[in-house]
Amino acid sequence: MTNVIGDLTVRLHQVAVEPLLVLALRGKRLAMFGTHSAEVGEMPVEWHRPGDCRAPCPLHADRVPKLLRRYARMGARQAWLRLTPMLIRIPDLPDVAAFDAVLKQRSSRTLSKIRSAARKGYRARQFMLTSHVEDMHAIRTSMAFRAAGPVFDRWFLKPEHIAEPATQALPVASPCCPVHWTIWWGLFAPEPGHRQNKVEVGERLVAYVRLMRIGDVVHYTEIMGHRDRLADGVMLLLHHEIVRWLIDAPEPAAKGAKVLLYGAAEHGGEGLLTWKKRAGFVPGRLRLAELA
């Protein structure tokens, strides 16, 4: 029943509140990037290319996923109350040096924060959620308020709500389909002897991103760091390493991605939008190809 109520609340917010946010905030938010709605370029993307899918693909339906229906238009009609997605266009970045140049242009301090976090020993990598349940719980309950508002997990989330913890060390599993997947990326601090569910892991998860790919689009569906580590620049380092992975495309799951999407310009406060700006995101539009 709790999940049903939660889903209905989210749906009501998307249908009734988000169009009002677009009307109230779009102009002001786009002005932070020196642009306005008429100047925001549109990028065509595909969500389902049968030739690229590999069985057993987790995306079986022929209907456009709900996530993309919020951010991209289909056909000729433009929905003026649609959210303005915040994007990084991966094909525009030939290498990591090009991305670093974008970050330096946005803020003179971003790269120094990333390098400082790396010098402190933080390392980014993919991980299995069941291997770090206790650390995940600690992150999600470390703050009562974040950029998006109050964090109800602070009072109501239990470790068992996240996942059933692993009872042994687990290797990271590759997704079964290279263009439709969910991958957990984490930033870890070395900590000899640190355990999760009595399994010694030797490192502590201090920040994470739940990354989802739907065809050309890769989306940050969850992104969070532990309160005690945020000042170390952990979120910037984690984000930087994910973008590096998408640019270098060292494995099939990263190849061919065109867009990294992180919510909308109308989401959260101006502080969150400033972070996105410094992280290289820009407001844009997406046009979604329909299935043939």
Side-chain angles (χ1 to χ4, degrees):
M1 179 61 71
T2 302
N3 290 339
V4 172
I5 294 174
D7 291 343
L8 289 174
T9 302
V10 169
R11 182 59 181 158
L12 179 62
H13 176 85
Q14 293 173 356
V15 171
V17 178
E18 284 187 346
L20 299 178
L21 291 176
V22 170
L23 287 173
L25 299 177
R26 174 180 284 167
K28 183 178 180 180
R29 295 291 174 86
L30 294 185
M32 293 178 63
F33 292 82
T35 187
H36 58 82
S37 183
E39 297 174 341
V40 175
E42 186 176 70
M43 184 176 187
V45 292
E46 294 183 272
W47 70 273
H48 193 280
R49 297 188 299 266
D52 295 333
C53 287
R54 297 292 182 272
C57 177
L59 199 61
H60 299 292
D62 287 341
R63 180 173 169 80
V64 176
K66 189 186 306 181
L67 179 87
L68 290 185
R69 294 202 302 272
R70 297 178 65 202
Y71 294 106
R73 75 175 176 91
M74 295 180 63
R77 185 175 181 182
Q78 176 67 46
W80 294 106
L81 295 183
R82 191 182 304 282
L83 293 166
T84 309
M86 297 298 296
L87 313 171
I88 294 177
R89 295 173 173 85
I90 303 301
D92 292 348
L93 303 171
D95 50 35
V96 177
F99 180 54
D100 288 349
V102 171
L103 298 183
K104 186 176 182 179
Q105 184 180 36
R106 299 290 180 84
S107 172
S108 61
R109 300 175 57 196
T110 300
L111 289 176
S112 62
K113 289 181 178 179
I114 291 170
R115 292 167 184 149
S116 175
R119 285 195 299 269
K120 290 177 181 178
Y122 294 111
R123 293 293 180 266
R125 65 171 177 82
Q126 299 173 33
F127 71 97
M128 300 297 288
L129 176 61
T130 56
S131 295
H132 298 276
V133 171
E134 294 169 12
D135 285 347
M136 174 75 74
H137 181 263
I139 292 170
R140 291 176 60 173
T141 59
S142 64
M143 295 179 70
F145 291 90
R146 292 188 183 263
V151 181
F152 297 107
D153 285 352
R154 172 83 171 189
W155 297 279
F156 301 113
L157 185 70
K158 305 289 185 186
E160 56 267 25
H161 296 159
I162 296 173
E164 183 176 349
T167 57
Q168 60 183 348
L170 297 175
V172 176
S174 298
C176 56
C177 177
V179 293
H180 299 111
W181 47 250
T182 296
I183 293 176
W184 294 89
W185 269 83
L187 198 71
F188 293 85
E191 189 172 322
H194 183 58
R195 293 177 175 272
Q196 295 286 278
N197 192 38
K198 301 180 181 180
V199 179
E200 185 170 339
V201 294
E203 57 186 356
R204 182 181 295 272
L205 178 70
V206 300
Y208 74 90
V209 172
R210 183 175 181 259
L211 204 61
M212 178 183 290
R213 180 170 183 177
I214 306 176
D216 291 338
V217 180
V218 178
H219 185 216
Y220 284 174
T221 59
E222 291 181 40
I223 175 170
M224 195 174 295
H226 196 287
R227 175 194 61 186
D228 297 341
R229 308 281 183 152
L230 293 177
D232 287 346
V234 295
M235 304 312 301
L236 285 172
L237 176 57
L238 178 55
H239 166 66
H240 185 270
E241 294 309 293
I242 291 172
V243 175
R244 178 196 299 276
W245 178 69
L246 292 172
I247 292 172
D248 292 344
E251 56 189 279
K255 292 185 184 301
K258 292 184 179 180
V259 177
L260 178 61
L261 165 67
Y262 180 15
E266 296 84 4
H267 285 158
E270 290 189 10
L272 177 59
L273 192 62
T274 297
W275 188 93
K276 293 180 183 181
K277 183 177 181 180
R278 291 175 178 170
F281 291 91
V282 295
R285 291 199 186 106
L286 298 175
R287 183 179 75 252
L288 207 58
E290 299 189 50
L291 286 175

